[in-house]
Amino acid sequence: MGRGGHGLARVPVVVRAGAAPLWWLGVVAAGAGALPEGLTGRRVGVLAGAALFLVTAAVVAYVRGKRYDALAREAVRAGKHDVLQSRAVTVRNWRRGHRWWLLAAFVAALGSAFLLPVAGGAVLAGAGAGLWAKAALLGRREQDGDVLLWVRVDWLGRGAGAPAGKAVRAYRMTGPAAGDAAPGGARRRTAAGARR
């Protein structure tokens, strides 16, 4: 498993890739959704939106947690011929693979404001916050193990965004200096290159 020339993407980077677009689309949708009264009125919509934001963030942050933990525990050392994909490419691939889904979710959030103001945007923003939290949890695991977690690019699926999907059989790991993303998937302040 440790040999072979596979392209590898950082697991927390894949998880984190959707956080910013979901957050900002949610904020815009919630702001626009505060304009119509809706069927329930703004006050009810805002209160429901706040509750939905918290619930969505918690669910997204912890869903499939056991699967991530199991894959991380069974991670094997990356081979010398494996190619580490840059953070920018991983993020771009995820966003390109999900652009129509993001657009549809944004339109749905805007439309829902005529029924329940703010709530649809709050769900999107909550999903973004949950992804940031999930990436942070993965980053803590990486720091505790003094490793970085990677997944084969060809196992991520068409949308380049399922790092714990059925196709993923194992993670690979490198030392903490590999790649150009810090533990948790954030951009490194000073790129350390692709050393293992």
Side-chain angles (χ1 to χ4, degrees):
M1 193 69 163
R3 295 184 179 182
H6 296 107
L8 303 179
R10 277 288 303 288
V11 176
V13 173
V14 178
V15 170
R16 186 186 172 101
L22 283 168
W23 170 263
W24 288 113
L25 288 174
V27 168
V28 172
L35 298 177
E37 282 284 346
L39 294 179
T40 61
R42 288 193 194 94
R43 184 172 181 277
V44 172
V46 169
L47 292 174
L52 287 170
F53 174 88
L54 294 174
V55 170
T56 303
V59 169
V60 171
Y62 291 104
V63 71
R64 307 206 77 183
K66 291 182 180 179
R67 170 76 170 151
Y68 280 97
D69 288 344
L71 288 167
R73 281 195 306 270
E74 297 167 7
V76 297
R77 181 66 59 177
K80 64 180 180 180
H81 298 297
D82 287 330
V83 178
L84 306 184
Q85 184 170 276
S86 72
R87 180 183 184 277
V89 171
T90 302
V91 171
R92 183 174 68 241
N93 288 346
W94 189 98
R95 293 180 182 174
R96 184 176 294 162
H98 291 79
R99 62 187 181 277
W100 297 116
W101 182 89
L102 289 169
L103 178 61
F106 179 66
V107 171
L110 287 176
S112 71
F114 293 98
L115 175 64
L116 190 63
V118 179
V123 169
L124 286 185
L131 289 177
W132 267 315
K134 185 190 292 288
L137 291 170
L138 287 167
R140 183 171 297 174
R141 172 178 277 281
E142 289 182 323
Q143 288 179 318
D144 290 345
D146 201 29
V147 297
L148 299 181
L149 298 172
W150 302 79
V151 61
R152 279 176 49 172
V153 172
D154 59 328
W155 286 348
L156 289 176
R158 291 179 59 189
K166 291 181 180 179
V168 178
R169 295 191 286 275
Y171 288 159
R172 297 194 183 183
M173 60 183 175
T174 64
D180 62 351
R187 186 181 292 109
R188 285 191 195 274
R189 293 183 180 178
T190 301
R195 297 191 305 273
R196 283 194 284 277

